[in-house]
Amino acid sequence: MLWKNLKIRARLTIIFGTLAFIALLAALLTFASFNQINGIRAKILDIHMADKSRIMVESSFTMMQLNPDGITYTALSENLDEFEKRLTDLVADPLTDEHIELTNGILEGIQNYRSILAEVVSYKNNQAGEGDETPDDDVVSGLYEKISVINANMDQGVNLLIDSSMAVFNYQRNRNIGFILVFLTIIIAGAFIVSVVYSKQLSGDIIKAV
């Protein structure tokens, strides 16, 4: 009854205003969704940067094996520090609880890495102090083997982080696409209903007004 009492301009204003509101709401939600996607993408980039730091650690370890001196040891320690810092930042703002567990596992590996590395340095210093310039290769090789195992575990941990992050990204992206399609369907359906239900009535009213 109230609708029939409204003027044509008021009816058109309500109809198209409602559709415009729905379209604006869809646009705002779409913007928020893509901001969320961008946040996940930034996290994935952070994990890849952590992986690059891990690769630098592994490369520095190889260099220290080939040329075990203070320079290569310092380079390895600095790269471990960088890798640890990036992982600590990931724990502070994780994508999922699984990421916290994975990252803490890698950080624990870094602590073991440092401990074994300190054993290597201590052993070599003791041997040098005793006048033995050729430390027992079996002892050093055994310690290096432990570090190699930690390197492999850290590699696996970071790869799991990357795979998990991509799964989160793909899930959220597909969800957002579905969400956008639903809103577009609502807008199109709303416009179609308006055109079908009110087109004849509005046409008649316009003709009468003319």
Side-chain angles (χ1 to χ4, degrees):
M1 191 69 177
L2 181 60
W3 176 262
K4 292 182 179 179
N5 294 332
L6 294 175
K7 294 183 179 180
I8 297 173
R9 179 177 296 177
R11 294 182 191 180
L12 292 174
T13 300
I14 292 173
I15 292 170
F16 290 105
T18 300
L19 291 176
F21 173 77
I22 294 175
L24 177 62
L25 180 62
L28 291 174
L29 291 174
T30 300
F31 178 76
S33 297
F34 277 104
N35 272 347
Q36 186 180 30
I37 286 291
N38 288 335
I40 296 174
R41 185 182 288 113
K43 278 295 172 189
I44 293 174
L45 178 60
D46 289 340
I47 295 172
H48 278 288
M49 293 303 295
D51 190 39
K52 287 186 177 181
S53 296
R54 180 200 61 77
I55 292 172
M56 290 299 298
V57 168
E58 194 167 342
S59 176
S60 298
F61 173 63
T62 301
M63 291 298 297
M64 194 187 79
Q65 286 180 290
L66 296 174
N67 186 23
D69 57 20
I71 296 176
T72 53
Y73 173 78
T74 299
L76 176 55
S77 297
E78 289 176 351
N79 286 324
L80 273 173
D81 291 340
E82 177 67 19
F83 184 36
E84 186 175 31
K85 180 181 181 304
R86 290 190 180 278
L87 291 173
T88 302
D89 291 342
L90 289 176
V91 172
D93 187 20
L95 273 178
T96 65
D97 291 339
E98 180 189 11
H99 283 199
I100 297 177
E101 183 178 351
L102 287 171
T103 307
N104 281 334
I106 301 171
L107 286 169
E108 183 178 347
I110 290 177
Q111 297 308 314
N112 293 334
Y113 197 120
R114 293 185 191 280
S115 177
I116 297 171
L117 193 60
E119 287 186 49
V120 172
V121 174
S122 176
Y123 180 81
K124 288 190 174 186
N125 288 339
N126 288 337
Q127 291 296 97
E130 294 173 1
D132 186 354
E133 297 297 333
T134 58
D136 188 346
D137 288 340
D138 291 337
V139 174
V140 175
S141 296
L143 294 172
Y144 281 166
E145 183 62 30
K146 291 181 180 180
I147 291 178
S148 296
V149 171
I150 294 175
N151 275 330
N153 290 337
M154 292 193 302
D155 181 23
Q156 182 181 21
V158 173
N159 285 331
L160 287 173
L161 278 175
I162 293 173
D163 292 341
S164 177
S165 299
M166 289 304 302
V168 172
F169 175 82
N170 291 330
Y171 169 79
Q172 193 62 47
R173 181 189 59 185
N174 293 336
R175 182 181 177 184
N176 289 350
I177 290 174
F179 185 74
I180 293 169
L181 290 176
V182 168
F183 263 91
L184 288 175
T185 302
I186 292 174
I187 294 172
I188 294 172
F192 177 76
I193 291 172
V194 168
S195 64
V196 171
V197 174
Y198 298 114
S199 60
K200 292 183 179 180
Q201 184 179 354
L202 289 174
S203 297
D205 292 342
I206 292 172
I207 292 173
K208 290 178 181 179
V210 174

